[in-house]
Amino acid sequence: MKKTIFSVFLLLPLMAAAQKSYIISGKLPEVKGPAKAYLVLYKNEGWKEVDSVEIKNGQFQFKGTVDEPQSALITVRRNGAADSGNQRDSQSFFIENSKISIVGTDLISKAKINGSVADRENAEREAQIKPVTASIMKLQDEFGKKNADGSYVKPLEERKKAADSIQKLVALNKEISLKFAESHLNSFAGLYAYNMYVLDNHFEPAKVEPLFHRFSAALKSSPLGQRTAEKIEIGKRRQAGAKATDFTQNDLNDKPFTLSSLRGKYVLVDFWASWCGPCRAENPNVVKAYNELKGKNFEIVGVSLDYPGGKAVWAEAVRKDGLPWIHVSDLKGWKNEVAVMYGINSVPQNLLIDPQGMIIAKNLRGEALTEKLKELIK
């Protein structure tokens, strides 16, 4: 009995520490005159202003509750100035149900934020990838420069080498986030890093799913954990060896097209958009592949991620780029139902489906696209 009572007393500090709400206290003593602070949270794939308070005597406070740590932004506006352009004074952080302090002088963007474990741990990971990200940006700036006529300043061979270097640096950043997740299995920041950076646009479910099951039960059952599990399941739909999920969307003539109507053929499902520069640059390679393989039981289905009201622009891109295959879209942009179903959140991407309706390859592109298809299509 004594042991039980003693155990309860040991838990009391933990119970007290587990706050069910947040209190954000800000101090900006050099902010004079009319000014307001705005709290914005990232909800349902969009930013939403949830609270605002006047800054009095350089101080402000927010109170509320979140279901789990999440991305937040505090912005300060002075004298009713619009929150736009270079007038914006803001700082992003991870909000959680704890006592959070924001201390600065006159700018919220330069203030110090303390009290959020998720924010502190995420900052540790960001510090590790910062130099790698800086190198990526430097290469992109140097080799992405164009002349007045739109041509690249750097020759093609140098740009290819730079692209290879960027790919290696991107892979290094992913490895850093992977190791961070492995060492933070009881941490929201660890699961967040896993969800955002390990489960990237091209993750292989078989390779990364085992790590998800090592996270704590509480994290796996959290809202983020549930979204992560769903993301993995969606990723399985586009992996080699999976049966292609059927779909129906309207073509350019507003006629419904169903993927399974091509059963018995090799089909390249190509996700792209008229507004996507890399997609348009890749189209000549896809055209070349189509012309060489179209008589060999092969077809292409282009799924466009163009936006509402963009049918004319989409059709013009098809005409201008000379894409003589099947084209479909629901004109919902990134919310295209086929793209969502397959977890496509970057373009260009593609899936190669065999005559039995099984995915046998994905993301075949570049000058070697035709040769790769010839190897796979017998």
Side-chain angles (χ1 to χ4, degrees):
M1 184 61 142
K2 289 182 180 179
K3 287 184 178 180
T4 302
I5 294 173
F6 183 65
S7 297
V8 171
F9 276 110
L10 282 176
L11 287 172
L12 284 177
L14 295 174
M15 293 167 66
Q19 281 202 193
K20 295 183 179 180
S21 62
Y22 61 79
I23 301 176
I24 302 174
S25 301
K27 293 184 179 180
L28 299 171
E30 293 185 18
V31 173
K32 310 297 182 182
K36 292 184 73 174
Y38 296 80
L39 178 61
V40 185
L41 302 185
Y42 191 78
K43 293 184 174 183
N44 299 321
E45 300 182 353
W47 290 97
K48 181 179 180 181
E49 184 181 302
V50 297
D51 204 353
S52 64
V53 294
E54 290 187 16
I55 299 176
K56 297 181 178 180
N57 299 318
Q59 298 185 39
F60 63 89
Q61 189 175 86
F62 292 110
K63 294 182 179 180
T65 303
V66 289
D67 295 332
E68 64 177 350
Q70 60 189 90
S71 298
L73 185 74
I74 287 186
T75 296
V76 171
R77 301 179 196 165
R78 297 163 176 77
N79 300 314
D83 180 25
S84 62
N86 56 18
Q87 294 180 337
R88 179 177 298 150
D89 177 24
S90 61
Q91 184 170 171
S92 61
F93 66 106
F94 274 97
I95 190 173
E96 62 184 33
N97 293 325
S98 63
K99 292 182 179 179
I100 300 172
S101 68
I102 301 178
V103 180
T105 52
D106 60 334
L107 296 174
I108 192 79
S109 58
K110 295 184 179 180
K112 298 292 184 181
I113 298 180
N114 291 295
S116 168
V117 175
D119 188 65
R120 174 178 56 77
E121 292 184 340
N122 187 63
E124 292 173 3
R125 183 192 60 81
E126 289 185 338
Q128 294 177 46
I129 68 172
K130 186 176 180 179
V132 183
T133 302
S135 296
I136 293 172
M137 294 177 66
K138 183 178 179 180
L139 284 169
Q140 289 177 333
D141 289 343
E142 181 180 356
F143 291 90
K145 291 180 180 178
K146 292 185 178 181
N147 297 306
D149 62 0
S151 62
Y152 285 96
V153 174
K154 298 289 186 179
L156 178 60
E157 285 305 314
E158 289 187 25
R159 285 188 282 118
K160 285 182 177 180
K161 290 180 180 179
D164 290 340
S165 296
I166 289 173
Q167 288 298 320
K168 291 178 182 178
L169 290 169
V170 169
L172 176 57
N173 265 352
K174 181 176 179 177
E175 183 64 24
I176 291 171
S177 291
L178 174 62
K179 290 181 178 178
F180 179 87
E182 289 174 331
S183 63
H184 290 75
L185 297 175
N186 295 308
S187 157
F188 173 88
L191 182 57
Y192 176 82
Y194 173 81
N195 180 289
M196 291 293 294
Y197 305 105
V198 178
L199 303 186
D200 59 7
N201 296 326
H202 308 293
F203 75 90
E204 296 292 343
K207 293 181 179 179
V208 299
E209 184 178 14
L211 176 57
F212 175 67
H213 297 297
R214 292 171 56 194
F215 283 96
S216 69
L219 279 172
K220 286 188 289 185
S221 63
S222 70
L224 176 60
Q226 294 174 35
R227 294 195 301 274
T228 302
E230 181 182 13
K231 191 173 183 179
I232 292 171
E233 289 306 309
I234 291 174
K236 291 178 181 179
R237 294 176 187 167
R238 63 176 186 269
Q239 68 183 350
K243 183 176 181 179
T245 305
D246 203 10
F247 63 82
T248 298
Q249 280 197 350
N250 283 358
D251 62 18
L252 280 165
N253 296 314
D254 296 322
K255 301 294 183 182
F257 164 81
T258 300
L259 176 64
S260 58
S261 66
L262 295 176
R263 187 63 53 81
K265 293 186 175 183
Y266 286 94
V267 181
L268 185 73
V269 180
D270 186 40
F271 295 91
W272 75 298
S274 67
W275 45 260
C276 169
C279 301
R280 304 292 294 273
E282 177 66 13
N283 278 342
N285 295 317
V286 186
V287 171
K288 180 182 178 183
Y290 182 78
N291 289 335
E292 292 199 27
L293 291 163
K294 62 183 178 181
K296 299 180 180 180
N297 206 33
F298 174 70
E299 187 56 86
I300 296 177
V301 178
V303 180
S304 169
L305 274 63
D306 276 84
Y307 288 93
K311 183 179 179 181
V313 178
W314 167 38
E316 175 59 18
V318 170
R319 185 199 66 77
K320 187 175 182 179
D321 291 4
L323 315 179
W325 47 81
I326 299 166
H327 292 275
V328 301
S329 180
D330 56 13
L331 295 175
K332 293 182 180 179
W334 287 112
K335 294 184 179 180
N336 178 290
E337 292 180 6
V338 180
V340 171
M341 181 175 67
Y342 278 105
I344 302 297
N345 49 28
S346 71
V347 286
Q349 288 200 57
N350 58 51
L351 304 171
L352 181 63
I353 302 169
D354 73 7
Q356 288 72 48
M358 306 299 291
I359 297 173
I360 58 174
K362 62 182 182 179
N363 297 325
L364 305 174
R365 63 169 60 96
E367 296 177 359
L369 172 63
T370 304
E371 295 307 314
K372 290 179 181 178
L373 287 173
K374 285 180 177 179
E375 291 175 9
L376 292 165
I377 299 175
K378 305 299 183 183

